[in-house]
Structures are given as structure tokens and as C-alpha cells.
Amino acid sequence: MARILAVAPDLMFASRIEATLGAAGHDVALASSLDEAPALEATDLLVVDLDREQAEAAVGLGVPVLGFYAHLNVETREGAEAAGVDLVVPRSRMAREMPELAERLLVS
């Protein structure tokens, strides 16, 4: 069981993250922004809505980062990849493959 922090201000999608990753056996905490997030030292994976948070703020915190974005927002994807986000995926892929994507970063 991993400890996952999801920074997603969209309550509907945040609930989906919590339910899906919780069902996969993970302990999931939610925050609406990185500023409101609890301490990261107890976190194994950070999941971030890149349409709402700057990728640079999530990188370098000592935690693998799984970022998602609206598929039409190519600039967000490119910026997140350039900033060093570990895995950047469109929101639709995140919704379909969330447990697999999280596991991919948790085992690396």
C-alpha cells in the first residue's frame, strides 16, 4: 500500500482518484492545491492536475509525480515534460489507466 497525495481542485475528478486508487489498495489524501497539501515526507506518489498547478512547483519535492492535463492543452504537456514531471498523461488516459500509471511510478 502506497501513500498517494492527489492535488486536484476538481472535486468530481478528485473523488474519482480517491475511489480508484483507494480500491487498488492505496491510502489517498486529497488537496485542492500544493499550498494546501499536507507534508510530503509521508507521500510515496504525488498526482497533480497540471491544468491547475505549475509543473515546476511539483517537481523536485523528492516524490515521483504523475501529472495529468486536458488533452487539447499541448503546451501544458510540453511544459510539464520539460520541467521534469515523471509521467505526464491526458486526463482521459488518467481516468482509464489510473492504477496502472500509479503502479508504474511506485515500482520505479
Side-chain angles (χ1 to χ4, degrees):
M1 172 177 82
R3 296 161 302 191
I4 298 173
L5 172 60
V7 178
D10 176 340
L11 294 177
M12 295 293 287
F13 202 69
S15 295
R16 186 172 185 176
I17 292 169
E18 183 177 37
T20 303
L21 293 178
H26 302 296
D27 181 25
V28 182
L30 299 176
S32 59
S33 71
L34 280 171
D35 292 336
E36 295 178 11
L40 290 174
E41 60 267 358
T43 302
D44 300 311
L45 177 65
L46 180 59
V47 177
V48 179
D49 182 342
L50 296 170
D51 290 323
R52 308 280 176 92
E53 288 287 338
Q54 294 295 317
E56 294 83 5
V59 174
L61 297 173
V63 177
V65 179
L66 169 57
F68 61 93
Y69 66 99
H71 74 279
L72 296 175
N73 201 343
V74 176
E75 290 175 6
T76 296
R77 176 186 49 94
E78 291 171 347
E81 290 171 345
V85 173
D86 297 291
L87 183 58
V88 182
V89 298
R91 182 183 299 265
S92 59
R93 182 172 175 203
M94 178 72 175
R96 280 190 322 269
E97 303 174 26
M98 197 178 312
E100 296 85 358
L101 296 169
E103 195 61 34
R104 182 170 152 188
L105 289 175
L106 288 167
V107 296
S108 58

